[in-house]
Amino acid sequence: MSSAPPPSAPPGSPRRHALEGALSVAAAVVAMAAAAWAALTLLGAGAVAPVSRLVPMMVSMAFGGGVTMESASPSESADGGESGGGLGGLLGGLGEGGGMSLGLTGEAALTPLTLTFLGMAALAIAFFRPLRRRQRPAPALLWARCGGALATTAVVFPVIAAMAQGTAQLPKSVTERFGKGASSGTFSQVTGGGGGSLTKGLSSVMFGTDAEATAFLGLLWVSVVLAVGCVAARRTTLPRPLALSRIRLKWNAVTSTLTGTAAVLCCSALAVALLAAAADLTGRGPAAKAAGVLLLAGPNLIAVLLTTGLGTSWEAGMHRLQSDGGGMLGMLSGAAQGDTAGTDKSVDLGGWSGAGVPLWLIAMVLIVLLLTIAGYVASARTPARTPREDSEALLNRHAEIALRMGIAVGIAALALPLVARGSVRIGITLMGNEMGGMAAGLDDGLGLSPLTGFVLAALAAYGGSRLQNRRARGRVAQPTTTATGRPAAARSMPRVPSDSAS
């Protein structure tokens, strides 16, 4: 008579779990690629470069990868190799095209957090969702699952970075700015009026990403998502040593609440993007660009708004770059910069006011409201203490929730500005030396925002936890009874959630 396997034996095998881990990474990549394709299509990016090359580039940037740019080919002179007078004629023999060689170099660093959020959500759902209704897996099977995800990341992400290479045509508005800077004033006189012709080679650039950096950042990104998921995941079955670990029992309620709050905010940005895309179907052109921007950087705007309320000073601007070198190149750069002075622009986002109220004050009120709700939910999810645990604890239940919420928000206030900011820098090179260029971006001044976030989160979470406790006591005090005579309040008492529902 054959004996049945023990009830605790997990179904499947390490190979199956490793395959499911690999599929979770594939789901994340597909989600990010689909959103990037939709956003780039709405923005009309196909006129700049092939979308098939831009989509891998955006996916690489979604987990921190940067993009480098350089001229596709050296510039040619105005009249098929005749340089004209002035310095352009004197140096006519230089460069591959028979004249001076102008080129572009640059880099872009921007994290499209919408793609990052979609990738994280797809990875977490595909990784943890299959464990929801299964028997408790052994630790080795969870390690196999993580190993499959990390191994797939180490293979797929370098391939994505290798595909993120191509040639892009710069918009006419950008090349016209370069042309005005190169063909005006003293620079035009020195080059014999050939400055405008020198910019003909600035219309196209080659872009690419670093495969090694992309692979490292991808592995780090997947590791962080899985580690946070093991602490924050609810209604799933994890190995007993992990499910009953001290860090999970103490931090599950807070981390699950904060990750859920962040997911709601990101989904709201996605909903607005979808509404804008639907409005575009009615023939409203600006709605398409708004939808494309939100599909790429909607959570970036939310992060800027929230951290402004914590004291982070955000500044968006564009300014021209000037060469620090001397000699003839320094003189030419200075002349070009002098002729185009006054073009720098910057905006202090924190000082912007809507309806007469500063943006930082609006953001602070919103943060306090969100954190109060988060404290209420975290308190409802925190298991009730036993009398012995309550007597041995240094802090009461509400203070512990407030302390953990403050620590988590303080860390978020430190990390969000690092991923929400972005910059683009394009430099003009003459004979291999950088003469100047333009830089644009969104930069931050951190200040005391981590400390401010800790204090605000602790106070708001404490108030939310107290409010939840008062409402729970009110329900317990109700005299309503069930049909069997059992007090209904007794059934609503908080209990320690089982591990399979945590």
Side-chain angles (χ1 to χ4, degrees), residues 68-134:
T68 58
M69 297 173 287
E70 62 179 4
S71 292
S73 61
S75 62
E76 296 182 358
S77 55
D79 302 321
E82 296 180 6
S83 304
L87 185 60
L90 179 62
L91 299 178
L94 300 178
E96 297 180 7
M100 289 192 300
S101 175
L102 270 182
L104 288 180
T105 59
E107 58 271 347
L110 174 65
T111 305
L113 290 182
T114 302
L115 306 185
T116 307
F117 162 70
L118 289 175
M120 293 171 62
L123 176 62
I125 292 174
F127 189 92
F128 292 102
R129 184 76 176 183
L131 299 176
R132 183 172 182 176
R133 299 184 183 277
R134 292 184 182 177

Side-chain angles (χ1 to χ4, degrees), residues 197 404 462:
S197 65
R404 293 170 192 153
Y462 187 84

Side-chain angles (χ1 to χ4, degrees), residues 127-273:
F127 189 92
F128 292 102
R129 184 76 176 183
L131 299 176
R132 183 172 182 176
R133 299 184 183 277
R134 292 184 182 177
Q135 295 175 336
R136 188 181 306 280
L141 296 181
L142 184 63
W143 280 112
R145 201 177 191 86
C146 295
L150 294 176
T152 305
T153 301
V155 174
V156 173
F157 282 24
V159 174
I160 294 175
M163 295 173 59
Q165 298 180 5
T167 303
Q169 299 293 326
L170 293 180
K172 188 176 180 180
S173 58
V174 176
T175 57
E176 284 180 349
R177 287 178 177 270
F178 292 147
K180 290 178 181 179
S183 61
S184 59
T186 307
F187 187 85
S188 178
Q189 297 173 9
V190 173
T191 58
S197 65
L198 294 175
T199 63
K200 289 186 176 180
L202 306 182
S203 59
S204 62
V205 294
M206 295 187 299
F207 62 88
T209 58
D210 188 349
E212 295 180 357
T214 300
F216 172 76
L217 292 173
L219 287 171
L220 180 62
W221 178 73
V222 172
S223 300
V224 171
V225 172
L226 297 183
V228 174
C230 287
V231 177
R234 302 179 67 245
R235 297 184 179 90
T236 190
T237 304
L238 298 174
R240 185 174 296 277
L242 175 61
L244 301 181
S245 63
R246 186 178 183 88
I247 184 173
R248 178 172 167 83
L249 292 177
K250 287 185 173 296
W251 285 90
N252 175 261
V254 171
T255 53
S256 63
T257 302
L258 289 180
T259 52
T261 303
V264 170
L265 292 175
C266 293
C267 287
S268 65
L270 280 175
V272 175

Side-chain angles (χ1 to χ4, degrees), residues 297-344:
N300 295 67
L301 304 179
I302 296 176
V304 170
L305 173 64
L306 296 180
T307 52
T308 298
L310 298 179
T312 303
S313 58
W314 289 95
E315 182 178 354
M318 179 182 68
H319 63 277
R320 292 188 177 272
L321 303 175
Q322 186 171 357
S323 175
D324 295 331
M328 182 64 71
L329 293 178
M331 182 189 71
L332 296 179
S333 176
Q337 293 293 330
D339 294 331
T340 58
T343 58
D344 293 354

Side-chain angles (χ1 to χ4, degrees), residues 10-35:
S13 62
R15 180 177 298 180
R16 177 181 176 181
H17 281 265
L19 178 60
E20 289 181 349
L23 292 177
S24 64
V25 175
V29 172
V30 170
M32 289 189 289

Side-chain angles (χ1 to χ4, degrees), residues 347-367:
V347 178
D348 182 10
L349 300 182
W352 180 83
S353 61
V357 181
L359 181 63
W360 66 267
L361 183 58
I362 299 175
M364 181 177 291
V365 173
L366 178 61
I367 287 176

